[in-house]
Amino acid sequence: MQNDKKQGVLLVNLGTPDEPTAPAVKRFLSQFLHDKRVVDMTRWLWCPLLHGAILPIRAPKVAKLYQSVWMDDGSPLMVYSKRQVEKLRKRVDMPVELGMTYGNPSLQAGVEALLAQGVEEVIVLPLYPQYSGTTTAAVSDGLTKAFKNIPVMPAYRFIRDYHDHPLYIKALAESVKRVWEQKGKGDYLLCSYHGIPKRYADNGDIYPNHCDRTTTLLARELGLEPNQIGMTYQSRFGREEWLQPYTDKTLETLPGKGIKNLDIMSPAFSSDCLETLEEISEECREIFMENGGSRFNFIPCLNDDDLHIEMMAELIKS
């Protein structure tokens, strides 16, 4: 049966502060860290801790980090997300809008922008290659809330993940090869994924399985042996145990194992952002070099790379 509803695409990412200031960062982090998908602590314990200690201390520090990576047109995540939207519009014959789980433009604003163009069925593409309840499921929760405020809820299709999609793996491999051509091939390729608390995986989150699968397929695509590639988890927060091995701890030990020339990438991020441009490219470089490393090659995210956009178009068409 042919679908004659007018379709549109909602590209979704996590979100970003509106500006690199402490108040804007505080607003953004407050919304993000209030989500039970992200922090599942009992509210009466978590909220006083969040508002009394974490946000007042963390917001000014994080604002300074954002200032160090802020681009002329805004936050890197926002700049690259807008470029992805523009390029995707040219590839698919339907409206494409952007929505963020936290911050602006909101998921509701993205859906309303599509409805204003006569869209009756929304194809939702969260830009998280590997599924996690902390990210992908949070998009689904956010959409449910958004639909409560819309008189007629549109039909929608939800693309849950693409961690093993051939074009995604190919795009990652091509981004590595480009850096190898420009700077030479390192001794080792480290894939650093965003971490989640280990407890979430123990309770059934399939995220680490997806990260494993992506790394295995990338190794195969690049023809790398197991001793030439590895995976770790970054960006842990709080005191509880997160998925291991940790990126920072691993970087301390690699030079001692004879790995002096390192290539590093973050396959879980579809756009460069604070966690890649500052945490990986700056902080992690420092850790590696201080512990005896010679060369640290940061491989940018796929951003608005043509193969990345082609993959999105393929996901939408299928």
Side-chain angles (χ1 to χ4, degrees):
M1 195 165 72
Q2 194 173 356
N3 181 4
D4 56 1
K5 289 189 177 85
K6 183 175 178 180
Q7 293 182 311
V9 179
L10 183 68
L11 275 194
V12 182
N13 213 320
L14 187 107
T16 179
D18 294 324
E19 52 188 23
T21 63
V25 169
K26 193 174 181 181
R27 276 197 309 275
F28 172 72
L29 288 180
S30 177
Q31 189 188 359
F32 173 50
L33 295 174
H34 262 289
D35 192 333
K36 285 187 179 178
R37 291 278 189 184
V38 179
V39 180
D40 64 356
M41 272 174 67
T42 310
R43 297 294 100 174
W44 65 266
L45 278 174
W46 175 239
C47 289
L49 180 63
L50 178 63
H51 291 283
I54 293 169
L55 290 177
I57 294 167
R58 200 167 171 81
K61 289 180 182 175
V62 174
K64 280 185 182 171
L65 298 179
Y66 268 110
Q67 287 161 20
S68 72
V69 300
W70 211 257
M71 300 166 77
D72 290 344
D73 294 330
S75 156
L77 178 75
M78 183 62 71
V79 170
Y80 291 122
S81 296
K82 285 179 175 175
R83 289 179 190 172
Q84 288 166 344
V85 167
E86 288 303 321
K87 280 196 169 183
L88 190 57
R89 278 178 182 151
K90 292 171 185 170
R91 287 298 309 266
V92 294
D93 189 22
M94 59 182 82
V96 181
E97 295 293 340
L98 182 65
M100 299 292 189
T101 313
Y102 316 103
N104 297 305
S106 66
L107 293 174
Q108 184 175 330
V111 171
E112 286 175 344
L114 290 171
L115 297 180
Q117 295 167 74
V119 167
E120 298 164 283
E121 182 176 80
V122 178
I123 299 167
V124 183
L125 175 51
L127 291 174
Y128 307 118
Q130 298 79 19
Y131 172 90
S132 172
T134 61
T135 51
T136 320
V139 175
S140 179
D141 294 346
L143 279 172
T144 303
K145 280 183 193 168
F147 290 152
K148 286 178 182 175
N149 302 314
I150 293 170
V152 180
M153 172 188 155
Y156 74 99
R157 300 179 185 210
F158 195 92
I159 298 168
R160 196 192 68 164
D161 65 83
Y162 52 91
H163 70 284
D164 57 356
H165 193 284
L167 277 177
Y168 164 64
I169 301 299
K170 188 180 178 188
L172 288 177
E174 290 302 317
S175 74
V176 174
K177 287 175 188 172
R178 270 198 301 275
V179 170
W180 283 352
E181 282 167 15
Q182 293 162 7
K183 301 179 179 178
K185 184 178 175 182
D187 305 321
Y188 193 76
L189 174 62
L190 186 64
C191 298
S192 177
Y193 295 86
H194 198 292
I196 61 171
K198 180 178 179 290
R199 176 169 50 86
Y200 293 10
D202 293 342
N203 290 339
D205 197 314
I206 55 176
Y207 179 68
N209 305 349
H210 281 191
C211 296
D212 280 335
R213 181 73 177 145
T214 296
T215 308
T216 299
L217 293 173
L218 179 60
R220 191 181 300 166
E221 184 77 18
L222 289 168
L224 294 175
E225 297 297 324
N227 65 341
Q228 295 175 300
I229 186 171
M231 59 176 279
T232 54
Y233 296 97
Q234 65 180 83
S235 309
R236 66 188 184 279
F237 171 75
R239 291 181 182 176
E240 78 171 294
E241 185 184 355
W242 281 42
L243 293 177
Q244 295 197 40
Y246 298 138
T247 299
D248 54 357
K249 300 297 181 191
T250 300
L251 291 172
E252 290 173 6
T253 64
L254 287 180
K257 295 175 181 173
I259 295 165
K260 305 281 189 179
N261 300 321
L262 182 71
D263 300 317
I264 187 166
M265 68 192 308
S266 299
F269 296 88
S270 59
S271 299
D272 276 309
C273 55
L274 190 68
E275 286 83 358
T276 64
L277 297 172
E278 197 282 325
E279 184 182 354
I280 295 294
S281 183
E282 300 298 332
E283 282 182 45
C284 287
R285 178 191 303 274
E286 208 171 285
I287 292 168
F288 182 70
M289 301 305 268
E290 280 177 0
N291 283 277
S294 303
R295 196 179 70 195
F296 183 99
N297 281 341
F298 165 67
I299 299 166
C301 292
L302 296 177
N303 296 322
D304 58 338
D305 180 83
D306 288 343
L307 263 181
H308 195 204
I309 304 301
E310 190 183 325
M311 180 215 71
M312 292 181 200
E314 191 65 33
L315 283 170
I316 288 156
K317 286 171 187 168
S318 63

